[in-house]
């Protein structure tokens, strides 16, 4: 575990990504210290441009955009990470069960996974959210979690199938280890990178999807989050009246947070899959520069 | 043929599951399902239209299986009910008309992004670790995790509102009537640039990273060395030995991608006020037009399944293993 972490941190992509993510977490936790205002209080004139009093300007109802951004990070990060755990957990549960138990259990679970995978997610979420009425952050976390586990399950199942045939798993089975122990001690540690990638990817997906659902007006309009900021900016025609700050702030927040997590994911992938590791200075036979003898031969082609 | 038939059967079941979901959801919600679904309709639809709407969704007298049967009949005869927001138009008509624009956006942008992303990904994988690769690959990864809402809002802000290079909304200039004229086509193209570019940008990173990683995994394989040993040209080994095999896993992940792109298109259309499914749906959501919201799930599922089948056909063509089975 420690080696994984230290390898990760030596990767510049991971270091930058993790740094930005931690900054967002810190900002979300310390929100009340970083602003004198309340997120839903009217503290200025409508659509004030950025100034020393209001770093990112104000919204149409005179709320402070910087304050909303800080408090919005709480909702977006909390929903993102919680749902990420839910999606990754469901994926592991379904994937390992299907891959390790096998037989008809595998058939049923794989079929279910494939069906969930092929039904488009956002339309499904729109129907769910519409029937729930104005969905608060918790409801949004739940419906995203329950509809998005299929991809993780598929990947975990495939890897479990590979691992199950390895000697060390078969050895511990022959020693008479109980199933849960084989799963917990032999399989799970070897799935950690796949599960990690799935977790981070799910956090990105959740943050994006929450913002999207709320932007569409399916969220709770009184909750403070990046999505409701986008929604309020869109409904108050912020762009057309020139209040770009109201729209740009949540846009940049979502983009930077998602991008940072993506960098971490890229790095985890490199650490987990040595073939993807690229060391620019190491000479490689397949670097694409043709060797002379081959070129003369190839000329006849 | 066995492969394609099995896929078709699977898609039929998937569509059936989506339909079941639509049937079950209002009945699972607390409270009276008829109240939930038709509260808006009560206010704006004449009584006979309401009765027809109820019958469509299986709210007939009788036990649940009978209701389910009634509902399935209407779904498989493509009777999706009457739109409350766009009364008296049926949901199938409203959405069918809008779907043309969405398919235009999704189809065109997918082709552009697939072609560009694959080409750039192949180049990045071949010269992996080089300057191009270490710039483009992380960049596209970051790009991939920026949502369509953000890209389209930024594009709207920069190119339509600030620079005024391109029109900010709709599919053609309001002064023109839809006709098969050159002026109208020009206007359609001009209005499509921003939404198309947005959707391309949203997709391209995914294709690039997928093919790059899948190709890097292949480049160490023996058949690449064999291709070299045979003295084939570098380009031939790269394209026919590497890329052809690397494309296969991409086609398999198409199922997830296309659904996400349809979702992205919904959002892009709303931002650019484009007359596709997204915009129609948005108006439906605001008016709590449940027949319309449920209908879009079926239509979108159908589109995604059709796209998947096209991917299957391509797979079938590229992968001889599927044909000899």
């Amino acid at each position: 575990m420690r080696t994984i972490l230290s390898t990760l941190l030596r990767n510049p992509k991971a270091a930058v990504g993790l740094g930005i993510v931690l900054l967002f977490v810190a900002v979300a936790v310390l929100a009340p210290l970083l602003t004198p205002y309340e997120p839903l209080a009217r503290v200025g004139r409508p659509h004030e441009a950025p100034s020393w009093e209001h770093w990112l300007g104000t919204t149409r109802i005179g709320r402070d955009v910087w304050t909303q951004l800080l408090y919005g990070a709480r909702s977006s990060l909390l929903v993102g990470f919680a749902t990420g755990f839910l999606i990754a957990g469901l994926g592991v549960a379904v994937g390992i069960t299907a891959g390790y138990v096998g037989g008809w259990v595998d058939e049923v679970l794989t079929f279910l996974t494939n069906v969930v995978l092929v039904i488009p997610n956002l339309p499904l979420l729109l129907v769910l959210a519409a029937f729930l009425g104005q969905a608060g952050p918790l409801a949004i976390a739940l419906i995203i979690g329950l509809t998005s586990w299929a991809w993780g399950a598929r990947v975990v199942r495939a890897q479990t199938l590979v691992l199950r045939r390895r000697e060390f798993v078969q050895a511990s089975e022959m020693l008479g280890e109980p199933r849960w122990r084989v799963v917990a001690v032999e399989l799970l540690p070897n799935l950690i990178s796949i599960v990690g990638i799935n977790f981070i990817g799910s956090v990105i997906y959740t943050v994006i999807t929450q913002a999207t659902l709320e932007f569409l007006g399916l969220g709770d309009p009184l909750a403070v989050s990046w999505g409701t900021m986008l929604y309020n900016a869109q409904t108050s025609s912020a762009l057309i009246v020139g209040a770009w700050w109201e729209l740009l702030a949540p846009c940049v927040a979502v983009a930077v947070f998602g991008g940072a997590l993506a960098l971490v994911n890229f790095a985890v992938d490199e650490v987990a899959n040595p073939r993807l590791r690229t060391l620019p200075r190491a000479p490689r036979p397949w670097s694409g520069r043709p060797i002379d003898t081959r070129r003369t031969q190839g000329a006849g082609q | 043929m066995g492969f394609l038939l099995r896929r078709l059967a699977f898609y039929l079941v998937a569509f059936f599951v989506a339909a079941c979901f639509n049937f079950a959801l209002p009945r699972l919600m607390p409270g009276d399902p008829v109240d939930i679904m038709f509260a808006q309709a009560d206010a704006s639809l004449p009584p006979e239209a309401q009765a027809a709407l109820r019958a469509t969704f299986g709210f007939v007298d009788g036990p649940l299986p009978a209701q389910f049967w009634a509902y399935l009949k209407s779904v498989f005869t493509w009777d999706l009910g009457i739109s409350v927001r766009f009364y008296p138009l049926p949901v199938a008509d409203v959405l069918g008309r809008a779907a043309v624009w969405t398919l235009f956006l999704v189809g065109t942008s997918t082709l552009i992004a697939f072609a560009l992303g694959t080409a750039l990904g192949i180049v990045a994988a071949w010269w992996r670790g080089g300057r191009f690769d270490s710039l483009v690959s992380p960049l596209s990864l970051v790009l991939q995790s920026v949502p369509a809402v953000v890209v389209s809002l930024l594009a709207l802000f920069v190119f339509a509102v600030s620079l005024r290079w391109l029109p900010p909304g709709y599919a053609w200039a309001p002064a023109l009537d839809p006709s098969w004229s050159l002026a109208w086509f020009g206007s359609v193209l001009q209005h499509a640039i921003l939404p198309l570019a947005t959707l391309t940008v949203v997709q391209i990173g995914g294709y690039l990273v997928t093919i790059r990683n899948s190709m890097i995994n292949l480049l160490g394989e023996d058949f690449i060395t064999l291709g070299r040993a045979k003295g084939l040209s570098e380009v031939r080994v790269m394209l026919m030995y590497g890329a052809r095999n690397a494309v296969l896993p991409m086609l398999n992940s198409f199922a997830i991608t296309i659904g996400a792109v349809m979702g992205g298109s919904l959002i892009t259309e709303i931002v650019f006020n484009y007359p596709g499914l997204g915009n129609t749906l948005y108006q439906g959501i605001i008016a709590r037009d449940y027949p319309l919201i449920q209908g879009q799930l079926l239509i979108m599922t159908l589109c995604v399944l059709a796209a998947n089948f096209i991917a299957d056909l391509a797979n079938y063509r590229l992968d001889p293993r599927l044909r000899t089975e």
Side-chain angles (χ1 to χ4, degrees):
Chain A
M1 199 61 211
R2 175 163 295 164
T3 48
I4 296 179
L5 213 64
S6 65
T7 325
L8 251 185
L9 284 180
R10 254 183 280 125
N11 185 312
K13 293 188 197 93
V16 171
L18 273 177
I20 298 177
V21 172
L22 284 180
L23 187 72
F24 271 86
V25 172
V27 157
V29 172
L30 300 177
L33 300 179
L34 296 171
T35 169
Y37 308 112
E38 287 294 314
L40 290 176
R42 181 190 292 251
V43 292
R45 282 176 291 108
H47 280 159
E48 260 181 72
S51 64
W52 272 113
E53 278 95 76
H54 302 289
W55 289 0
L56 295 175
T58 62
T59 69
R60 195 176 68 150
I61 12 185
R63 291 168 179 163
D64 184 59
V65 173
W66 169 243
T67 308
Q68 289 217 317
L69 201 68
L70 293 178
Y71 282 89
R74 290 183 160 190
S75 164
S76 294
L77 265 60
L78 205 61
V79 170
F81 283 115
T83 315
F85 271 116
L86 184 62
I87 296 176
L90 281 172
V92 168
V94 175
I96 287 194
T97 311
Y100 189 62
V101 176
W104 66 269
V105 177
D106 182 26
E107 297 270 332
V108 171
L109 287 178
T110 305
F111 182 78
L112 199 73
T113 308
N114 284 339
V115 168
V116 175
L117 212 50
V118 87
I119 294 177
N121 231 314
L122 189 64
L124 190 68
L125 285 171
L126 292 180
V127 176
L128 271 168
F131 273 101
L132 283 175
Q134 287 170 338
L138 182 69
I140 288 185
L142 275 178
I143 59 174
I144 293 179
L146 294 177
T147 51
S148 315
W149 49 268
W151 177 243
R154 184 157 144 170
V155 183
V156 169
R157 174 184 171 271
Q159 191 61 25
T160 307
L161 282 181
V162 173
L163 288 174
R164 203 179 61 174
R165 282 185 224 107
R166 291 272 171 82
E167 285 86 354
F168 65 92
V169 176
Q170 302 208 320
S172 69
E173 275 174 348
M174 279 178 204
L175 283 172
E177 299 274 14
R179 272 189 169 178
W180 66 266
R181 213 188 127 83
V182 177
V183 167
V185 178
E186 309 293 344
L187 288 180
L188 267 181
N190 287 295
L191 291 169
I192 195 104
S193 70
I194 285 191
V195 176
I197 289 172
N198 185 27
F199 169 69
I200 299 173
S202 302
V203 176
I204 301 175
Y205 171 78
T206 307
V207 170
I208 290 178
T209 313
Q210 185 197 7
T212 306
L213 287 177
E214 287 172 340
F215 169 74
L216 289 175
L218 287 164
D220 175 3
L222 288 177
V224 181
S225 71
W226 295 338
T228 45
M229 289 177 77
L230 285 174
Y231 171 71
N232 288 328
Q234 173 82 354
T235 46
S236 65
S237 321
L239 269 193
I240 291 156
V241 298
W244 47 267
W245 51 88
E246 192 182 353
L247 208 68
L248 226 53
C251 275
V252 171
V254 174
V256 172
F257 184 66
L261 280 175
L263 281 181
V264 178
N265 231 356
F266 197 71
V268 173
D269 210 6
E270 281 183 352
V271 171
N273 186 349
R275 280 183 179 173
L276 295 181
R277 237 173 279 167
T278 46
L279 304 163
R281 277 184 201 88
R284 281 178 313 276
W286 54 78
S287 67
R289 291 194 186 87
I291 303 163
D292 286 346
T293 50
R294 208 175 46 220
R295 169 158 279 177
T296 46
Q297 275 174 15
Q301 283 284 320
Chain B
M1 270 329 277
F3 166 74
L4 292 179
L5 278 180
R6 247 180 300 136
R7 296 305 293 169
L8 270 180
F10 171 71
Y11 294 145
L12 198 68
V13 176
F15 184 74
F16 180 75
V17 171
C20 289
F21 182 81
N22 267 349
F23 176 79
L25 195 60
R27 289 166 173 83
L28 286 176
M29 288 290 142
D32 183 17
V34 180
D35 267 6
I36 298 176
M37 273 197 76
F38 306 117
Q40 290 291 329
D42 277 342
S44 51
L45 255 57
E48 59 281 7
Q50 279 181 47
L53 203 50
R54 270 166 215 198
T56 303
F57 286 91
F59 291 111
V60 291
D61 291 329
L64 219 55
Q67 295 189 9
F68 187 53
W69 182 245
Y71 169 70
L72 274 191
K73 249 198 288 195
S74 48
V75 166
F76 281 90
T77 51
W78 209 234
D79 170 14
L80 302 180
I82 306 157
S83 164
V84 178
R85 168 70 178 73
F86 300 95
Y87 180 78
L89 293 174
V91 167
D93 280 15
V94 174
L95 291 179
R97 210 169 300 165
V100 176
W101 290 104
T102 300
L103 287 180
F104 164 64
L105 285 189
V106 171
T108 316
S109 64
T110 302
L111 285 181
I112 300 176
F114 186 86
L116 271 179
T118 314
L120 295 178
I122 290 170
V123 171
W126 197 252
W127 287 279
R128 74 216 184 95
R131 209 174 291 152
F132 179 74
D133 181 37
S134 41
L135 178 74
V136 161
S137 302
L139 187 76
S140 50
L141 210 87
V142 170
L143 214 59
Q144 198 190 353
S145 47
V146 179
V149 194
V150 169
V151 179
S152 40
L153 283 172
L154 290 181
L156 179 73
F157 173 61
V158 174
F159 297 105
V161 176
S162 303
L163 296 174
R164 293 177 187 282
W165 286 353
L166 289 160
Y170 214 64
W172 62 82
L176 295 170
D177 282 328
S179 61
W180 299 115
S181 66
L182 213 60
W184 186 71
F185 271 114
S187 174
V188 165
L189 270 186
Q190 195 195 10
H191 284 73
I193 291 176
L194 277 183
L196 274 182
T198 303
L199 282 176
T200 309
V201 166
V202 171
Q203 288 182 76
I204 196 165
Y207 287 125
L208 198 152
V209 173
T210 316
I211 192 147
R212 171 187 178 270
N213 289 0
S214 128
M215 188 144 156
I216 285 179
N217 275 323
L218 278 176
L219 286 182
E221 300 281 338
D222 289 343
F223 62 86
I224 300 282
T225 320
L226 177 75
R228 284 248 174 67
K230 278 161 62 178
L232 300 177
S233 72
E234 203 70 7
V235 172
R236 204 178 150 90
V237 176
M238 173 161 92
L239 294 181
M240 297 312 289
Y241 284 60
R244 182 169 168 166
N245 286 296
V247 161
L248 289 178
M250 266 180 93
L251 288 173
N252 291 332
S253 69
F254 197 64
I256 303 94
T257 323
I258 192 71
V261 179
M262 294 286 285
S265 175
L266 295 188
I267 307 306
T268 308
E269 287 164 19
I270 295 167
V271 172
F272 289 108
N273 196 18
Y274 206 79
L277 280 175
N279 219 341
T280 316
L281 187 63
Y282 186 52
Q283 297 177 41
I285 288 175
I286 293 172
R288 292 285 181 235
D289 181 349
Y290 288 103
L292 190 80
I293 299 174
Q294 290 208 329
Q296 62 86 27
L297 175 62
L298 292 184
I299 290 205
M300 298 277 278
T301 307
L302 208 64
C303 292
V304 170
L305 296 183
N308 267 287
F309 189 64
I310 296 176
D312 285 337
L313 287 175
N315 218 340
Y316 190 70
R317 179 83 198 77
L318 284 173
D319 190 347
R321 282 170 299 183
L322 295 175
R323 270 170 287 167
T324 52
E325 220 185 299

